[in-house]
Amino acid sequence: MKYVILIHSNPQPWGHPTGDFIAGQKALPTEQREALEAGFEKVMSEMSERGELVSAEALGDPANARLYRWADGDPLATDGPYAEAKEHLAGFFLIDVEDQARAEAIAAKFSGPGETIELRPTMWPGGDDQ
């Protein structure tokens, strides 16, 4: 079963890893930040060893995004990201796991202070989930 883990964040300034730029995470004691980083590295290693990590990418500064919408029968390009957004998509991980419970266990390990993690099943041609 394939899932995408979407990392929503609003670090200022923009950068990766997002935890280095989020006030809630920067305010944590050093030991707690190091424990969060170690936990993240552990889940990354586990996913690699189990063949569950398909792909992952950090996304660039949303100030450089372009949006394309349909207007009056033609595509219309505007500066992105979505207007009035307080959070932006910072990156994603595509995983292939045995079941939803495993996907949820992985996604839970990605969350941290000031971040929102979204877990969503992928859709294949024909519109079916997974």
Side-chain angles (χ1 to χ4, degrees):
M1 299 177 77
K2 289 188 180 174
Y3 289 84
V4 65
I5 298 171
L6 302 169
I7 312 300
H8 298 272
S9 186
N10 187 21
Q12 294 299 322
W14 188 255
H16 290 280
T18 55
D20 289 349
F21 298 89
I22 297 172
Q25 289 191 33
K26 289 169 64 173
L28 294 174
T30 302
E31 303 80 31
Q32 194 172 0
R33 286 188 74 190
E34 289 173 354
L36 285 171
E37 290 173 24
F40 178 78
E41 291 302 323
K42 181 179 177 189
V43 76
M44 293 299 292
S45 294
E46 287 174 0
M47 287 191 304
S48 292
E49 290 167 7
R50 293 173 67 154
E52 296 172 325
L53 181 61
V54 176
S55 181
E57 291 288 334
L59 299 177
D61 188 335
N64 297 322
R66 297 285 284 164
L67 295 177
Y68 295 84
R69 294 187 173 99
W70 198 251
D72 298 323
D74 291 307
L76 173 66
T78 59
D79 290 337
Y82 294 108
E84 304 300 323
K86 300 223 187 270
E87 289 187 342
H88 307 287
L89 184 60
F92 70 90
F93 293 80
L94 180 61
I95 60 175
D96 190 356
V97 296
E98 61 191 61
D99 56 27
Q100 183 174 345
R102 174 67 179 152
E104 289 178 3
I106 292 170
K109 293 180 181 178
F110 277 69
S111 66
E115 293 181 303
T116 300
I117 307 304
E118 178 181 349
L119 177 65
R120 188 183 304 180
T122 61
M123 291 183 68
W124 294 107
D128 295 329
D129 287 359
Q130 299 119 50

